[in-house]
Amino acid sequence: MIKRRFYIETYGCQMNIYDSGVISEILTGQGHEPADCAAEADLILINTCSVRDRAERKVLTRLSEISATKKGRPDLLLGVVGCMAQRLGKKLTETWMKIDLVVGPDSYDTLGGIITGLTVERDPVVETTQDSECMYAHRPKTFDSVSAFVTIMRGCDNFCSYCIVPYVRGRERSRPLGDIIKEIKHLVELGVKEATLLGQNVNSYRDGKTGFAGLLEAVDAVEGLERIRFTTSHPKDLAPGVIERIRDLPGVCEHLHLPLQSGSDRILASMNRGYSYGDYRRIVNLARSAIPGIAITTDIMVGFPGETRSDHEATLRAMEEIAFESAFMFKYSAREGTHAAGLTDDVEEAEKVARLGQVIELENSIIDTKKQALLGKEVEILVEGESRRESGFLIGRTRKNWLAKLPQKGVSKGEVVVAEVTGVTRWMISCDGSVRKAGA
Ligand code: SAH
Ligand code: SF4
Ligand code: F3S
């Protein structure tokens, strides 16, 4: 058997980061070896995202770059995995680019076999069978980071009208509770202090009688795990029980990522989101009254088909009213095969750009105000490691997910400390003053 040195480049969301870990483990299990960089690899896998056209174009540029280098390196194998592999399948092998394998998210367990049999002379292998029961576990032998993603569900059944995810990721399914807990315990033994539970809609997690609130309890009971985060919470399914667990369970961070998308009820209906702005507001009020100061972050999309200026203003008003701690903001991108792709994409590109600029500007000013209010306050930080930008400094995150830096003296990676905020910028909190171990 030919042993390959593989390198995985990951695009897209946290699910893909998790899956790249799974793939890496599958390949190492088959005797292949990870390489430190693409230049040292003889198998490059690109783990891809299809959520917006731009995400796909970025990958296509990268694939053509690598394909071009294959002329000088005839032994190099190039593979596409992830959501674009699922969406485009065989089409990816029909361009000038030299792609040797295309494997979708439900077929990673076939990768070992495919790669073992693969040679540059062979026709490309395409494996995009969808399997609505497919689940992966991740049990790495070592783990560098103090924070780990743990996928608790795969797929999505919500079919928001703009979204490609249900098509490329298939039907929603939950991992068994016992598997998730075993995986987290294993990661804790490797030094992990924080687990971020992943699913497109974690609030619909279910294993027998256990729902998401029950899962949070079970994860919180894992000894040695300091923090629990989760994403994404779909507003239509957020149960009061989950808010109670955020309030009551010591490990669960006071942070809710709750994508709003739009402040206009007409647009929300057309997006098939299943809630109105009023419903959303009620959830936020419930969360904020139960957990004062809870961080609420969101996703906002501008320029959805039919979005008028007044719909857009409703989004700006909603953002102002709720004052999100942070937001991912996007321009609508039509995805072939989705329901919205059949609507007229009638907001002009220049107008989409302008609207995106407005939501970003508004969110930035909200963040600046929130940051200023932190000056002089104490925050709890989980130290993630040394700063790559500034030597002598460590980087970590507060419970509300603000990025923070603090001097290295007396503190090390993996520790939870309480520190005073002495400086803020839009993206960073600095804590140059007193620092003590949490609980001390
Ligand atoms: N499951 C999550 C979101 C996953 S996709 C949820 O329901 O909230 C992440 C974000 O990408 C979405 O929240 C949405 O804001 C954005 N997005 C998805 N499809 C898009 C599209 N076609 N064009 C622009 N943005 C899109
Ligand atoms: Fe896409 Fe909606 Fe599913 Fe999120 S919930 S992944 S936006 S279809
Ligand atoms: Fe994630 Fe992109 Fe796929 S957002 S699920 S990698 S389409």
Side-chain angles (χ1 to χ4, degrees):
M1 184 193 114
I2 306 172
K3 299 252 195 266
R4 304 232 167 242
R5 301 200 67 200
F6 67 89
Y7 186 75
I8 310 174
E9 258 177 48
T10 310
Y11 296 81
C13 67
Q14 295 111 320
M15 301 259 173
N16 269 7
I17 299 178
Y18 179 86
D19 282 357
S20 290
V22 168
I23 294 171
S24 181
E25 211 178 312
I26 290 172
L27 296 183
T28 1
Q30 302 259 336
H32 304 289
E33 253 179 60
D36 289 334
C37 59
E40 285 174 14
D42 53 22
L43 166 66
I44 301 175
L45 292 177
I46 310 289
N47 196 356
T48 59
C49 172
S50 284
V51 81
R52 283 167 290 275
D53 185 51
R54 214 176 129 174
E56 290 204 342
R57 273 188 285 131
K58 205 153 93 186
V59 164
L60 290 173
T61 307
R62 183 67 184 128
L63 287 172
S64 44
E65 233 170 63
I66 301 171
S67 284
T69 67
K70 283 181 101 182
K71 286 203 189 87
R73 291 200 50 195
D75 58 325
L76 177 66
L77 293 172
L78 173 59
V80 183
V81 295
C83 299
M84 258 175 100
Q86 189 64 44
R87 195 177 87 77
L88 297 168
K90 196 161 167 279
K91 282 192 201 147
L92 282 166
T93 64
E94 292 167 348
T95 67
W96 69 269
M97 294 185 294
K98 296 214 166 308
I99 292 167
D100 302 287
L101 73 145
V102 177
V103 176
D106 287 348
S107 305
Y108 294 151
D109 43 8
T110 67
L111 267 170
I114 293 176
I115 284 159
T116 306
L118 205 63
T119 57
V120 269
E121 295 83 33
R122 236 192 96 164
D123 283 341
V125 179
V126 178
E127 179 52 77
T128 52
T129 314
Q130 285 192 305
D131 170 3
S132 61
E133 303 206 337
C134 162
M135 272 297 180
Y136 300 109
H138 184 214
R139 302 261 197 286
K141 292 208 170 61
T142 59
F143 202 80
D144 288 344
S145 172
V146 297
S147 182
F149 294 126
V150 176
T151 293
I152 59 164
M153 308 163 77
R154 295 180 79 87
C156 182
D157 285 350
N158 291 299
F159 290 93
C160 301
S161 65
Y162 49 79
C163 187
I164 197 73
V165 172
Y167 302 90
V168 290
R169 289 279 176 164
R171 297 292 53 77
E172 179 187 284
R173 58 216 102 132
S174 299
R175 282 179 72 187
L177 175 79
D179 268 11
I180 298 172
I181 299 300
K182 239 190 256 163
E183 182 163 313
I184 295 175
K185 284 186 172 160
H186 173 79
L187 289 165
V188 168
E189 277 171 24
L190 300 179
V192 165
K193 305 282 181 197
E194 174 180 85
T196 302
L197 312 178
L198 301 180
Q200 296 299 350
N201 177 5
V202 292
N203 297 304
S204 59
Y205 175 86
R206 183 139 295 282
D207 176 20
K209 285 201 187 113
T210 311
F212 187 57
L215 174 67
L216 284 176
E217 280 182 8
V219 177
D220 190 69
V222 174
E223 220 158 301
L225 186 71
E226 300 277 354
R227 284 182 176 183
I228 302 155
R229 299 186 185 280
F230 54 89
T231 196
T232 300
S233 278
H234 195 305
K236 77 178 167 62
D237 295 314
L238 182 65
V242 170
I243 293 177
E244 284 161 21
R245 297 322 187 280
I246 305 175
R247 182 192 61 197
D248 299 339
L249 297 172
V252 181
C253 289
E254 297 72 28
H255 171 205
L256 202 51
H257 185 65
L258 200 63
L260 169 64
Q261 313 299 355
S262 168
S264 152
D265 285 348
R266 210 173 57 82
I267 296 296
L268 286 171
S270 178
M271 287 176 164
N272 192 30
R273 289 289 288 177
Y275 54 86
S276 65
Y277 177 58
D279 298 332
Y280 187 94
R281 233 10 279 247
R282 272 188 290 281
I283 301 168
V284 169
N285 291 347
L286 198 67
R288 285 194 170 147
S289 58
I291 308 140
I294 185 173
I296 313 260
T297 60
T298 203
D299 295 351
I300 297 287
M301 192 192 305
V302 300
F304 186 77
E307 186 189 70
T308 60
R309 276 246 42 112
S310 98
D311 292 319
H312 173 60
E313 274 153 23
T315 300
L316 292 170
R317 259 198 318 279
M319 291 176 71
E320 222 159 346
E321 209 166 59
I322 293 176
F324 295 105
E325 267 68 16
S326 151
F328 295 113
M329 294 160 282
F330 310 104
K331 273 187 304 176
Y332 168 71
S333 163
R335 309 313 291 133
E336 200 186 325
T338 61
H339 178 77
L343 306 173
T344 317
D345 193 359
D346 54 359
V347 182
E348 301 224 340
E349 181 58 21
E351 181 61 20
K352 280 187 189 161
V353 172
R355 290 182 191 178
L356 182 64
Q358 284 171 358
V359 293
I360 292 175
E361 195 184 330
L362 172 59
E363 183 53 30
N364 283 346
S365 76
I366 294 169
I367 293 176
D368 290 345
T369 312
K370 299 228 168 201
K371 282 284 175 63
Q372 285 300 323
L374 285 171
L375 280 170
K377 301 251 162 68
E378 283 196 323
V379 288
E380 187 200 280
I381 301 169
L382 168 62
V383 180
E384 292 177 0
E386 287 174 29
S387 164
R388 270 187 243 145
R389 296 218 179 134
E390 263 178 286
S391 69
F393 281 89
L394 295 165
I395 290 289
R397 276 176 191 275
T398 70
R399 289 179 72 88
K400 291 173 189 161
N401 215 27
W402 299 115
L403 198 60
K405 70 170 188 192
L406 66 168
Q408 208 154 13
K409 47 182 189 222
V411 183
S412 42
K413 178 174 163 180
E415 273 180 342
V416 181
V417 297
V418 176
E420 189 195 338
V421 179
T422 52
V424 290
T425 64
R426 185 169 293 156
W427 309 121
M428 184 74 82
I429 285 172
S430 357
C431 301
D432 283 340
S434 70
V435 175
R436 63 186 154 85
K437 304 250 152 81

